[in-house]
Amino acid sequence: EMGADVLEVNSIKIEDTSEKLKKYLSKLEDYNHILFTSANAVNIFFDYLIKEKYDIRRINAKISVVGKATKSALEARGIQPFTMAKEFMAEGLFKAIKHHLSPDDVVLIPCSAKSKNTLKEQLEDANVLVDRVNIYDTVPGTITNIRAFDDVDIVLFTSPSTVRNMIQMVGLEKIKKKKCIAIGPQTSNALLDNGINALVC
């Protein structure tokens, strides 16, 4: 709308590994909190419950989320989040719920295999029992015309995974020649770790 020509590259493919939830179904109603850090986690989690004909009315947990997209995905399932992290990162979710935790609470984190373990560690330090289940993985996507990337001036990265995958797909040196923008601090850190300077939205 502002006049830019936009090249959209699907740098992430989602691999569903939700079968790992199977052994947790029998105790799903025992969790005090369920924490979602991405819209993908919400959708894959509830799609798996539907496939298994699990009655979600059995879930007693308070469900909390990171970010507006994750909140929207949860609301699309007819569920209002208990709380939403003010910061767009997993650590922000811990800050949002830590005053609502009791010792020996049981928490479920359905997430990506590549998610950091920080949230689980912070919860365990608060004497909370945590089950982290990697219900999906992110793998590099494909770019049909790699030459089109040569004409790009600015690259907007929306997650650390997009950083890692784009490096694998087009090469680090090509990305370093572009003006890079990160959606948030975690994505910015992923760029800096690879020697790429970036503006942060």
Side-chain angles (χ1 to χ4, degrees):
E1 289 178 356
M2 296 176 68
D5 292 324
V6 180
L7 171 67
E8 186 175 69
V9 178
N10 295 320
S11 61
I12 295 176
K13 286 183 181 177
I14 302 297
E15 285 188 350
D16 187 325
T17 57
S18 57
E19 285 296 322
K20 292 181 180 180
L21 279 169
K22 195 170 191 69
K23 69 177 185 178
Y24 298 92
L25 285 181
S26 61
K27 62 174 186 175
L28 206 52
E29 59 200 77
D30 298 328
Y31 289 103
N32 304 100
H33 295 269
I34 299 176
L35 309 181
F36 290 107
T37 56
S38 73
N40 285 324
V42 171
N43 292 326
I44 291 170
F45 178 83
F46 285 102
D47 284 349
Y48 181 76
L49 296 190
I50 290 168
K51 187 180 81 170
E52 292 295 315
K53 295 181 169 52
Y54 185 92
D55 188 345
I56 64 168
R57 291 175 297 182
R58 293 169 58 189
I59 296 175
N60 299 308
K62 297 178 176 69
I63 301 177
S64 300
V65 300
V66 170
K68 292 180 180 178
T70 312
K71 179 184 177 186
S72 294
L74 189 65
E75 289 175 337
R77 302 289 176 160
I79 301 170
Q80 290 296 317
F82 172 68
T83 190
M84 182 180 82
K86 293 180 180 178
E87 301 170 51
F88 189 69
M89 60 180 70
E91 292 88 337
L93 187 50
F94 177 74
K95 289 180 185 176
I97 68 160
K98 65 181 180 180
H99 298 299
H100 303 285
L101 297 172
S102 299
D104 300 325
D105 270 357
V106 187
V107 178
L108 176 66
I109 308 175
C111 61
S112 163
K114 290 186 173 67
S115 296
K116 287 186 174 181
N117 215 34
T118 308
L119 179 58
K120 181 176 186 289
E121 291 168 354
Q122 288 177 323
L123 289 165
E124 288 174 338
D125 287 344
N127 296 317
V128 172
L129 302 173
V130 184
D131 287 329
R132 170 181 163 146
V133 186
N134 300 330
I135 62 172
Y136 72 98
D137 198 3
T138 56
V139 297
T142 54
I143 181 167
T144 54
N145 182 9
I146 197 165
R147 290 180 185 172
F149 188 77
D150 294 337
D151 296 327
V152 168
D153 300 300
I154 300 170
V155 186
L156 172 61
F157 292 94
T158 56
S159 71
S161 292
T162 64
V163 174
R164 291 188 291 266
N165 293 355
M166 283 297 289
I167 289 172
Q168 188 170 331
M169 291 163 65
V170 303
L172 179 59
E173 292 311 311
K174 282 192 174 186
I175 293 172
K176 282 185 175 181
K177 293 176 182 176
K178 311 298 181 183
K179 185 175 183 179
C180 295
I181 301 176
I183 198 170
Q186 296 292 346
T187 305
S188 176
N189 288 339
L191 287 163
L192 290 171
D193 288 346
N194 286 282
I196 303 167
N197 292 319
L199 298 172
V200 183
C201 296

